[in-house]
Amino acid sequence: MVLAGGGYAGYRLLGSDDAADPQVTAARERLQGFLGAWEKGQAEQAGTYTDTPAGAKSLIASVMTNLKPSSTEITAGRGERKGDGDVRVPFTVKMRVPGVGSYGWDSEARVRQRSGKWAVEFSTSMVHPKMRPGQTLALTNAARADILDSKGKKLEAASLVGVVDDKSGKGVSGLEAHYDERLSGGKGPSKAVVVADRNSGQAVRTLSAEKSTEGRPVKTTIDPRVQRAAADALSGVKKTAAIVAVDPRNGHILAAANQPGGMNRALEGRYPPGSTFKVVTTAALLDRGVRPADAAPCPKFAHVNGQRFENQNQFVLPEGSTFKDAFAQSCNTYFVGARGKLSDTALRDTAQAFGIGGGWDVGAKTYNGGVPANTSDNDKAGAVIGQG
């Protein structure tokens, strides 16, 4: 065995019954040079043993580049003379192809003598009998089932659907990864060897065995109309943004859109919630005895150990404003000032009651939030307004 090109390449010349025929012996020696170079991925060298060096080099290079076999072994059979200067030799190709496993085929080479020199008569079908001129061997991902929207149509939401890796044929992100086994049909080849048109790359015939079990589609709750509206709403937005639409009647996720695309920040992003968290802070304060009608001062600034907090656009609420008013107007300085009414674990415990940080299974990878216990007065001041 000879180690070459990152894989194992072996060559055997079998049989000696034809040793008495010098033409067969000479022809097989010439073929041996061609097959040995092919095994090692030396396309240019292989071409020199043929009657069409450029064509042989091009096709052998294409096949080996496309299939990227980890090992190649080509075994020649006994040769047979068909006429003076005309010898036919069968051979078998065996490869280990990533994503496919073992793949092999039988073919036959014609070696002819011209002006006293032997050369392999090169043709596309000699490389593989199922190929025709203008074709090559290539890999394609094994058939996968579709991810569907709530109407049963193919889901059009790239960052939610995710990506299938071209090399492995496996889902590596989004729903494609989460449901890889179901969509792909489980264990088995993730790739297939095909005959492909060299110009278009279009597969024209599948050669290797496919999975015995077909993949099953995954139907989501995404409403295509709502999903389009969410995507349109983010179109042209310059900032990083995301939209999630949920049906409050049943918890169904109707849309999940991201700007820019790629990362599914709508479900996996980790960001401070900002003033929406005041719902949790308000619940914690109510639970600890604060009443909606209680006085709620809302100055322009609040200071905590030298750190300044302010309201949006530095607004203030008039004297006599209540807790109800401070909540309705989202007054940061009031909530910062009320932090002393809450223990270091109050926000964490109340957030958990709202489901933040819980074990949510929505059918996709998600970040479910987290509110740790407060570690300092400044930490709590930031946390009550959804920062820090």
Side-chain angles (χ1 to χ4, degrees):
M1 304 294 282
V2 181
L3 180 63
Y8 288 92
Y11 179 77
R12 290 197 303 275
L13 194 62
L14 299 181
S16 57
D17 294 348
D18 52 11
D21 189 328
Q23 288 200 11
V24 172
T25 300
R28 291 181 66 196
E29 288 178 352
R30 191 67 177 173
L31 178 63
Q32 178 178 358
F34 170 75
L35 298 179
W38 177 2
E39 281 184 335
K40 298 172 186 176
Q42 297 172 350
E44 184 172 7
Q45 181 68 18
T48 63
Y49 293 94
T50 74
D51 61 353
T52 315
K57 171 189 173 182
S58 177
L59 185 55
I60 295 298
S62 173
V63 167
M64 300 302 278
T65 299
N66 293 342
L67 299 188
K68 295 181 175 61
S70 58
S71 66
T72 303
E73 182 178 343
I74 307 178
T75 304
R78 294 182 176 88
E80 181 180 0
R81 183 148 62 99
K82 295 295 185 179
D84 188 39
D86 186 352
V87 176
R88 311 294 175 86
V89 183
F91 64 90
T92 299
V93 180
K94 294 181 180 179
M95 293 181 173
R96 291 287 302 178
V97 181
V100 175
S102 297
Y103 176 66
W105 66 92
D106 295 322
S107 190
E108 182 180 76
R110 184 179 188 181
V111 189
R112 304 183 74 179
Q113 188 180 40
R114 291 290 183 271
S115 302
K117 293 184 178 180
W118 290 91
V120 178
E121 187 174 84
F122 180 78
S123 67
T124 302
S125 60
M126 183 269 287
V127 174
H128 195 295
K130 298 292 186 181
M131 290 197 301
R132 298 295 177 263
Q135 297 178 341
T136 186
L137 298 183
L139 291 177
T140 185
N141 288 333
R144 292 173 67 90
D146 289 330
I147 297 170
L148 309 176
D149 60 30
S150 62
K151 307 301 182 183
K153 302 293 185 181
K154 190 172 181 179
L155 179 60
E156 301 293 338
S159 57
L160 185 59
V161 170
V163 174
V164 176
D165 182 62
D166 285 336
K167 293 183 179 179
S168 67
K170 295 183 176 295
V172 293
S173 66
L175 296 174
E176 291 284 7
H178 198 76
Y179 294 101
D180 182 68
E181 185 170 348
R182 177 188 176 106
L183 293 166
S184 67
K187 295 181 179 180
S190 58
K191 296 277 190 177
V193 178
V194 299
V195 174
D197 183 271
R198 294 192 69 179
N199 290 325
S200 68
Q202 185 72 31
V204 297
R205 175 182 292 182
T206 300
L207 299 176
S208 63
E210 297 182 306
K211 289 183 179 179
S212 57
T213 303
E214 292 186 359
R216 293 177 295 148
V218 171
K219 187 175 182 180
T220 71
T221 60
I222 299 295
D223 185 311
R225 180 182 61 83
V226 181
Q227 180 67 31
R228 284 193 297 271
D232 289 344
L234 294 180
S235 179
V237 173
K238 302 301 182 183
K239 296 182 179 179
T240 297
I243 293 177
V244 179
V246 181
D247 188 334
R249 298 169 298 179
N250 50 31
H252 288 178
I253 297 177
L254 305 180
N258 299 278
Q259 177 64 29
M263 175 189 175
N264 187 14
R265 60 182 52 80
L267 300 183
E268 299 179 49
R270 303 185 180 201
Y271 303 98
S275 290
T276 58
F277 192 73
K278 290 193 180 87
V279 173
V280 176
T281 305
T282 295
L285 290 170
L286 290 171
D287 189 53
R288 284 150 183 81
V290 179
R291 295 172 298 178
D294 286 353
C298 179
K300 183 183 297 186
F301 303 115
H303 295 84
V304 180
N305 297 322
Q307 182 179 1
R308 191 179 82 174
F309 296 86
E310 62 185 48
N311 299 319
Q312 186 174 20
N313 298 324
Q314 299 182 359
F315 74 83
V316 298
L317 292 182
E319 186 176 349
S321 295
T322 65
F323 179 31
K324 179 180 178 180
D325 298 325
F327 173 74
Q329 300 300 320
S330 191
C331 177
N332 289 335
T333 56
Y334 165 75
F335 283 94
V336 170
R339 70 190 183 283
K341 302 178 186 295
L342 302 174
S343 70
D344 288 343
T345 60
L347 293 176
R348 180 199 66 188
D349 297 341
T350 306
Q352 289 176 348
F354 275 79
I356 299 174
W360 293 91
D361 182 6
V362 305
K365 184 179 178 181
T366 57
Y367 172 64
N368 300 324
V371 179
N374 298 129
T375 57
S376 69
D377 201 27
N378 291 73
D379 175 50
K380 187 187 296 183
V384 294
I385 58 174
Q387 302 294 339

